[in-house]
Amino acid sequence: MFIIRSMKLSDGIEWGIHVTTLLAVLPPEGALPAARLAEFHGVPAAYLAKHLQALSRAGILASIHGPRGGYRLAKPATEITVLDVVEAIDGTEPAFRCNEIRRRGPTAQPAAAYPLPCGIHRVMVSADLVWRASLRSVTVADLVTTVANDGDPAGLVAGAKWIRDALA
Amino acid sequence: MFIIRSMKLSDGIEWGIHVTTLLAVLPPEGALPAARLAEFHGVPAAYLAKHLQALSRAGILASIHGPRGGYRLAKPATEITVLDVVEAIDGTEPAFRCNEIRRRGPTAQPAAAYPLPCGIHRVMVSADLVWRASLRSVTVADLVTTVANDGDPAGLVAGAKWIRDALA
DNA sequence: TAGATCCGGATGTTTATTATCCGGAGTATG
DNA sequence: CATACTCCGGATAATAAACATCCGGATCTA
Ligand code: SF4
Ligand code: SF4
């Protein structure tokens, strides 16, 4: 059989969070081009670029044209929540889209009979809200702290070195 | 541009919740065949049948073969949560699937350097948990109550009549 | 001016979802 | 027991979404 597909978050979400976290540890005035960010994370450059543009449009990243340009955070990491990144890339539409199936079939009523979101709808919306609230409670600055705390020391050193080289 | 696609829950979820809610108001020993349920909701019968089978395997619905057979609830509506229905149809896998991109690229470390889910991962898992907890806090019996309370009276009467006819 | 970079539209590829069909097996009813 | 009705699940097809690439143009720095 195998229906089971599970609601899935776009891969771009993971990339976006990683990139934003990485840019959060850049020295002020530093910036990394899309190609470098893709190289660091081992993801397709042309496709990552799309997501970076989305983050840029959302006001999370600032883009700098020209030589030594690239992306940097558009505001302090303490003011960027994980939800901001998720919504910039994945949109703000709730996971549950009501197709109004109650209005179909033999017992359908005129549209006026259906005032507002029904009970089923409200349950799903409510779950969506707590999900978003949970993501909103964590900032990119928090992520940096966590990674610094329980990341592998050798990996952190290698990462720091790579960043220095990339900026040079 | 228009990347924005948004994490989306399968349409089958909506069907599954509606069907389960409908079956919750059936008289004991009553059952409705898949074709009738599809007719009532105005959805493709062959496809709905797939989802009904999933609900059946999950122990939410009981299936009765032969004439006057069909589906009914396998247990009291008070013991079926919305999350049960969602997970039966959509699976239990979290929306965020980590692709371990930290292990890729030029600063990758040996596998042993990556102990458990990192901070980013934990944030996403945590959000997933509150989402599921929210859905688990509502039972199908609650949905029935809500629909009975704020549903359109004429629609409820039409629905009740349709059910009587379908069972006859 | 030259080189680097972002921007966004157009396009192609791959994968997931949606949808249908059919043979097989189980069951109540007469 | 014969029959009509129903679920079951595998195979397959159609459609939509996600993933990925490319390129011309604009913008900026040095
Ligand atoms: S009853 Fe609720 S979930 Fe169902 S179609 Fe109407 S608004 Fe949507
Ligand atoms: S750092 Fe976290 S989110 Fe990123 S690849 Fe590793 S476990 Fe996944």
Side-chain angles (χ1 to χ4, degrees), chain A residues 19-34:
Chain A
V19 164
T20 310
T21 307
L22 176 63
L23 292 180
V25 299
L26 244 53
E29 306 300 306
L32 288 177

Side-chain angles (χ1 to χ4, degrees), chain A residues 68-143:
Chain A
R68 303 186 68 77
Y71 291 95
R72 71 164 64 114
L73 294 193
K75 49 187 175 184
T78 51
E79 292 172 24
I80 304 174
T81 70
V82 175
L83 181 65
D84 291 334
V85 177
V86 169
E87 291 193 333
I89 293 177
D90 215 56
T92 56
E93 225 176 317
F96 180 81
R97 325 284 166 76
C98 176
N99 290 110
E100 289 292 354
I101 74 173
R102 67 176 166 176
R103 301 197 188 185
R104 312 214 288 244
T107 67
Q109 298 295 307
Y114 304 103
L116 289 194
C118 76
I120 294 174
H121 198 136
R122 286 201 302 271
V123 170
M124 302 308 287
V125 167
S126 164
D128 198 87
L129 288 179
V130 301
W131 181 74
R132 292 188 138 78
S134 177
L135 293 181
R136 188 160 39 227
S137 71
V138 180
T139 69
V140 171
D142 297 331
L143 291 180

Side-chain angles (χ1 to χ4, degrees), chain B residues 63-157:
Chain B
S63 64
I64 294 135
H65 286 207
R68 303 186 68 78
Y71 291 95
R72 70 163 64 114
L73 295 194
K75 50 187 174 183
T78 51
E79 292 172 23
I80 303 174
T81 70
V82 175
L83 181 65
D84 291 333
V85 177
V86 169
E87 291 193 333
I89 293 177
D90 215 57
T92 56
E93 225 177 317
F96 180 81
R97 325 282 166 78
C98 177
N99 291 110
E100 289 292 354
I101 74 173
R102 68 175 166 175
R103 299 197 189 185
R104 314 213 286 244
T107 67
Q109 299 295 308
Y114 303 103
L116 289 194
C118 77
I120 294 174
H121 198 134
R122 285 201 301 271
V123 170
M124 303 307 288
V125 168
S126 163
D128 198 88
L129 288 179
V130 300
W131 181 74
R132 292 187 139 78
S134 177
L135 292 180
R136 189 161 36 226
S137 72
V138 180
T139 69
V140 171
D142 296 331
L143 291 180
V144 171
T145 305
T146 311
V147 170
N149 282 345
D150 58 25
D152 172 67
L156 293 176
V157 170

Side-chain angles (χ1 to χ4, degrees), chain A residues 1-2 8 10-12 15 44-47 50 65-68:
Chain A
M1 270 283 304
F2 256 51
K8 185 177 177 300
S10 158
D11 286 347
W15 306 354
Y47 193 32
K50 288 283 177 229
H65 286 205
R68 303 186 68 77

